[in-house]
Amino acid sequence: SPSTDKSSILQLASNSSHCKVTNCMFRNYDANAVSGRTYYWFMIRGYNHTIEYNSFEGKTTIGASIVFDMPEGSATKTTPRNHLFRYNYMGPRNVIGSNGYEGIRAGVSSQQGYNLASVFEFNYFYRTIYGTGEPEAVSNKSSNNTYRYNTFREVRGQICLRHGDNCTVEGNFFFGAGLSDAGGVRVIGQNHLVRNNYFQDVDGTGTTAAIVVYKGDSNWPSSDDSSGNEVANNAKLFHNTFVNCEQPIYIGGGSGTVNPTGVQVRNSVVQSASDGAEVFRFGFSASSISFGDMIVYHPGANYGTTGISGVTYGQNPNLTLNSSLGYYVPSSSSNVVDVADNTVPGTGLDVRGLTRPSTTKDVGCYEVQATGTGLTPLERGDVGPSY
């Protein structure tokens, strides 16, 4: 019944396995909802499920549209769930409260150490969060997940690695359309990899900057089940491109007091607008962060911090709009070409999924030398039901 707290229209039960949910539409279903109660539309439990070519739009009640849950018990904590969530349309959601209105919630705080080990790919997010108060279009609360080749347009939220470790965010397109609270990726927890992503007109700042890496709470427990913030140790930010973003990189965000260690920012390019805020914002000394082969350009020289070893300032990379691709790319003579060193782990592909050369890679998400068409930003017609 929709009047029952935390109900769902569809549920894949605990210990179920190898189910496929495809070609379904979830739209504007809030009938008989009781104000103040939490409702979910789709609850995924069990193992090895595939959810593809569905659409989710128009939810107005509190509660994530889609929830991945692991109620099978602590004995299954290390068992990979191996779900595949792909080619789905995460459509507009205009009624937003202060929290709990996520498009997708992958786990829960008490399960953040559980091995969801699931892939979220080729999904199209359009205004999935389109109201103030909820910053998380995707809330990751489990470990070992991959978010790749998704497109976010006009989303007033972000991929938030809220809890859990060892997640990868790669090959995604974020088109913020100049919205002041549009975000990119928030990094909380350890050993996350954020690479080959493209950010354009993402105008969030602070905790909704294009990429923000968090400090941690001093009393973080060894049990890893706190609802606070785990320090983002060993965050790796490789080969990302930022075009006209208000605040591209913020390291040391959040209210915690423990500075992250082992943070690497490499092989990325920033081309800011003349009225953009600072390129770099730090919540602690930048000297403890490893930078390499970074090219950053701000017409007003608003860099926040200068003199960082491994960062080249003030050289315009001349990224220009490719109308057929729909985003900005470097020309063959751009200063981003052939100047990137290899990363660990290696970055063998670019944002299109095309192969980079073994040496002399390009800075940023786009590899000029890579041949072929490859992947492009998704549109509405590429995902969702066939009808």
Side-chain angles (χ1 to χ4, degrees):
S1 167
S3 62
T4 303
D5 197 37
K6 299 186 177 179
S7 66
S8 52
I9 303 172
L10 178 62
Q11 183 179 133
L12 300 179
S14 177
N15 290 308
S16 60
S17 67
H18 296 90
C19 296
K20 178 180 284 190
V21 177
T22 185
N23 217 35
C24 297
M25 177 183 290
F26 298 74
R27 186 171 67 184
N28 301 335
Y29 182 78
D30 293 323
N32 302 319
V34 177
S35 178
R37 288 185 173 174
T38 299
Y39 302 96
Y40 308 132
W41 276 4
F42 189 12
M43 178 75 71
I44 298 103
R45 293 166 168 159
Y47 305 88
N48 298 289
H49 299 313
T50 298
I51 298 96
E52 61 183 6
Y53 293 103
N54 305 290
S55 66
F56 305 85
E57 56 184 305
K59 191 173 187 294
T60 61
T61 53
I62 189 172
S65 300
I66 301 160
V67 174
F68 289 79
D69 190 29
M70 293 164 283
E72 290 82 9
S74 59
T76 70
K77 182 175 181 178
T78 61
T79 305
R81 269 55 184 181
N82 286 331
H83 302 306
L84 183 58
F85 187 91
R86 62 185 181 183
Y87 294 107
N88 297 291
Y89 175 55
M90 301 298 298
R93 188 173 186 188
N94 299 322
V95 179
I96 302 295
S98 59
N99 191 25
Y101 288 75
E102 303 95 332
I104 298 171
R105 198 188 76 207
V108 67
S109 299
S110 60
Q111 299 171 347
Q112 59 193 273
Y114 280 52
N115 188 20
L116 189 63
S118 295
V119 176
F120 301 79
E121 63 180 6
F122 301 111
N123 302 292
Y124 180 55
F125 295 77
Y126 174 67
R127 297 188 174 182
T128 309
I129 300 295
Y130 203 69
T132 59
E134 173 56 75
E136 301 176 45
V138 177
S139 183
N140 181 87
K141 294 186 175 182
S142 53
S143 294
N144 301 308
N145 298 313
T146 298
Y147 301 90
R148 65 188 180 195
Y149 305 130
N150 304 287
T151 298
F152 295 77
R153 289 189 187 273
E154 300 182 33
V155 177
R156 299 173 73 173
Q158 60 195 167
I159 295 179
C160 180
L161 304 179
R162 182 64 186 88
H163 289 307
D165 302 324
N166 303 303
C167 292
T168 297
V169 180
E170 65 178 339
N172 302 285
F173 289 93
F174 297 84
F175 297 98
L179 298 168
S180 62
D181 45 6
V185 182
R186 188 176 357 159
V187 182
I188 306 171
Q190 303 192 59
N191 307 317
H192 296 309
L193 174 62
V194 182
R195 66 180 174 189
N196 269 342
N197 299 286
Y198 178 87
F199 305 87
Q200 180 183 323
D201 302 319
V202 174
D203 278 7
T205 59
T207 57
T208 58
I211 296 182
V212 55
V213 177
Y214 258 44
K215 292 184 176 184
D217 296 340
S218 60
N219 59 347
W220 186 261
S222 58
S223 60
D224 264 0
D225 61 358
S226 170
S227 60
N229 296 320
E230 183 180 21
V231 65
N233 289 339
N234 305 316
K236 296 178 176 63
L237 317 180
F238 298 157
H239 284 282
N240 297 294
T241 295
F242 307 85
V243 177
N244 297 340
C245 295
E246 183 70 12
Q247 192 170 77
I249 299 171
Y250 178 18
I251 300 177
S255 58
T257 58
V258 180
N259 297 334
T261 61
V263 177
Q264 297 183 45
V265 187
R266 299 187 178 280
N267 299 350
S268 296
V269 58
V270 175
Q271 181 172 292
S272 291
S274 58
D275 58 350
E278 71 271 28
V279 170
F280 295 116
R281 181 177 178 184
F282 299 107
F284 59 98
S285 174
S287 62
S288 61
I289 304 167
S290 178
F291 290 87
D293 299 311
M294 290 280 296
I295 295 174
V296 297
Y297 175 72
H298 191 296
N302 189 0
Y303 296 108
T305 301
T306 57
I308 299 174
S309 177
V311 178
T312 298
Y313 296 87
Q315 294 184 12
N316 192 337
N318 292 312
L319 307 181
T320 57
L321 180 63
N322 183 307
S323 57
S324 62
L325 293 176
Y327 57 97
Y328 284 72
V329 301
S331 68
S332 59
S333 60
S334 170
N335 60 5
V336 307
V337 175
D338 294 348
V339 297
D341 289 333
N342 288 334
T343 58
V344 179
T347 306
L349 304 177
D350 76 347
V351 71
R352 298 164 294 168
L354 299 178
T355 301
R356 294 180 184 266
S358 58
T359 59
T360 62
K361 297 176 174 64
D362 297 346
V363 166
C365 68
Y366 185 94
E367 185 70 37
V368 171
Q369 300 99 308
T371 58
T373 302
L375 306 173
T376 59
L378 295 164
E379 300 291 347
R380 176 66 184 91
D382 298 323
V383 299
S386 60
Y387 50 88

